[in-house]
C-alpha cells in the first residue's frame, strides 16, 4: 500500500458552489449607496461641483491628513447585511483599485476614509474623474452588503467629502 501526502499547492477541495443572486430594485439602487462583492454591486458617488474643482487648477496641493470621505452605514435599510467579519472598501477609478479602508461588522456607523491621495491624483489628472466608484473586494466575508446613508433628511449622517488644499 502507499500513502499520498499532498503538497502545499494541491487543491484537496475545489469549491464550485453556486449562490443565488438576489435582485435589487432600481428604486433601491437609485436611492442608496450600496456595495456588495457577491452580487457585483458597486456605487459611484459624484459630489456636486467637484469635477469643476478638479478642472479649475491643477496646481492645488491637497492636504492628505485633512481630506476625508465620510460615509455613514444605514443599518436599518432592508438591503443592509453585515453581521460578521470585515469588508475592504476600494476605489475603482480608471481601472486602478485603490484600497480605502477596512470596515468591521461591529464598527461605528460613521466611517472616515482618508482620501487625500486619490483627490490629488484627480487634481493632477493622473486619474480620470468620473465619480468615486466604491466597491468591495474578496477579502473578508464575501456576502456582506454595505448600505450607506444618502437621505437628505438626516444631514448629520449624509455622505460627504471634506477637501483641504492650498495653492
Amino acid at each position: 500500500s502507499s500513502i499520498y501526502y499532498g503538497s502545499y499547492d494541491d487543491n484537496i477541495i475545489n469549491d464550485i458552489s453556486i449562490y443565488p443572486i438576489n435582485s435589487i430594485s432600481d428604486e433601491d439602487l437609485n436611492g442608496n449607496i450600496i456595495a456588495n462583492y457577491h452580487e457585483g454591486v458597486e456605487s459611484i458617488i459624484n459630489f456636486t461641483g467637484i469635477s469643476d474643482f478638479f478642472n479649475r487648477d491643477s496646481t492645488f496641493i491637497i492636504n492628505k491628513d485633512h481630506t476625508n470621505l465620510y460615509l455613514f452605514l444605514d443599518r436599518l435599510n432592508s438591503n443592509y447585511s453585515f453581521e460578521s467579519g470585515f469588508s475592504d472598501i476600494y476605489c475603482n477609478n480608471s481601472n486602478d483599485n485603490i484600497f480605502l479602508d477596512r470596515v468591521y461588522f461591529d464598527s461605528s456607523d460613521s466611517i472616515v476614509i482618508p482620501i487625500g491621495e486619490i483627490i490629488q491624483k484627480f487634481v493632477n489628472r493622473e486619474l480620470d474623474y468620473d465619480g468615486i466608484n466604491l466597491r468591495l473586494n474578496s477579502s473578508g466575508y464575501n456576502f456582506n452588503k454595505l448600505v450607506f446613508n444618502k437621505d437628505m433628511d438626516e444631514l448629520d449622517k449624509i455622505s460627504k467629502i471634506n477637501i483641504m488644499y492650498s495653492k
Side-chain angles (χ1 to χ4, degrees):
S1 75
S2 63
I3 299 174
Y4 174 73
Y5 294 97
S7 67
Y8 70 92
D9 61 349
D10 285 342
N11 290 328
I12 295 174
I13 298 173
N14 188 10
D15 184 3
I16 56 169
S17 303
I18 298 174
Y19 300 98
I21 294 179
N22 301 322
S23 64
I24 300 174
S25 71
D26 288 340
E27 180 180 316
D28 286 337
L29 289 175
N30 289 333
N32 295 301
I33 300 167
I34 300 175
N36 178 331
Y37 175 78
H38 165 65
E39 294 174 342
V41 178
E42 302 175 357
S43 287
I44 297 174
I45 302 175
N46 198 354
F47 295 96
T48 304
I50 199 167
S51 61
D52 295 335
F53 172 77
F54 296 144
N55 293 328
R56 186 174 345 147
D57 192 342
S58 64
T59 64
F60 289 146
I61 299 170
I62 304 299
N63 183 317
K64 294 177 178 126
D65 295 327
H66 297 339
T67 299
N68 297 305
L69 174 64
Y70 297 88
L71 299 173
F72 297 89
L73 291 170
D74 187 357
R75 296 180 194 270
L76 300 177
N77 188 295
S78 61
N79 288 308
Y80 182 88
S81 177
F82 190 15
E83 305 303 324
S84 65
F86 66 90
S87 287
D88 287 342
I89 302 174
Y90 279 76
C91 175
N92 183 20
N93 284 62
S94 303
N95 294 324
D96 285 346
N97 286 317
I98 302 167
F99 175 77
L100 297 178
D101 200 10
R102 175 170 282 177
V103 181
Y104 293 91
F105 79 98
D106 58 353
S107 64
S108 71
D109 289 344
S110 63
I111 301 168
V112 180
I113 299 173
I115 198 165
E117 289 184 31
I118 295 171
I119 298 300
Q120 187 68 63
K121 288 181 179 187
F122 288 141
V123 168
N124 295 345
R125 296 179 181 93
E126 295 172 28
L127 286 177
D128 293 328
Y129 181 75
D130 55 356
I132 298 172
N133 187 356
L134 298 179
R135 64 179 290 275
L136 302 181
N137 78 342
S138 60
S139 296
Y141 184 62
N142 291 341
F143 297 98
N144 291 333
K145 188 184 297 184
L146 303 183
V147 180
F148 299 102
N149 195 340
K150 193 178 172 184
D151 187 0
M152 291 300 289
D153 294 335
E154 296 184 72
L155 290 178
D156 60 330
K157 293 184 177 179
I158 191 76
S159 298
K160 59 189 167 211
I161 190 168
N162 286 346
I163 299 174
M164 181 176 282
Y165 66 95
S166 60
K167 184 172 177 174

